[in-house]
Amino acid sequence: MTANERFSALGLLEAFDRAARARDRDAMIAIYRAAEAENPEFCVDLILTNPESYGY
């Protein structure tokens, strides 16, 4: 299951999208952790390094 699928299943997808658009690293990591996704810091930093390629 992808991170987005996990976020969606937990009702966290909109919150993650808001956090990503706001570049709120701490909130993004908290959502990754809530979804029990692996390597939340790495994944969030990857998104924040090039947000346009992830749709943000």
Side-chain angles (χ1 to χ4, degrees):
M1 183 180 287
T2 69
N4 278 348
E5 290 171 334
R6 288 176 189 235
F7 300 157
S8 182
L10 294 169
L12 297 172
L13 187 56
E14 288 183 32
F16 184 81
D17 286 343
R18 279 193 305 275
R21 283 193 291 275
R23 310 297 193 261
D24 186 341
R25 183 178 186 270
D26 291 336
M28 293 168 72
I29 290 171
I31 293 167
Y32 260 88
R33 288 186 177 146
E36 299 181 4
E38 293 184 21
N39 303 312
E41 293 86 358
F42 174 80
C43 294
V44 168
D45 289 342
L46 191 62
I47 292 168
L48 293 176
T49 297
N50 192 2
E52 293 80 19
S53 60
Y54 293 91
Y56 302 108

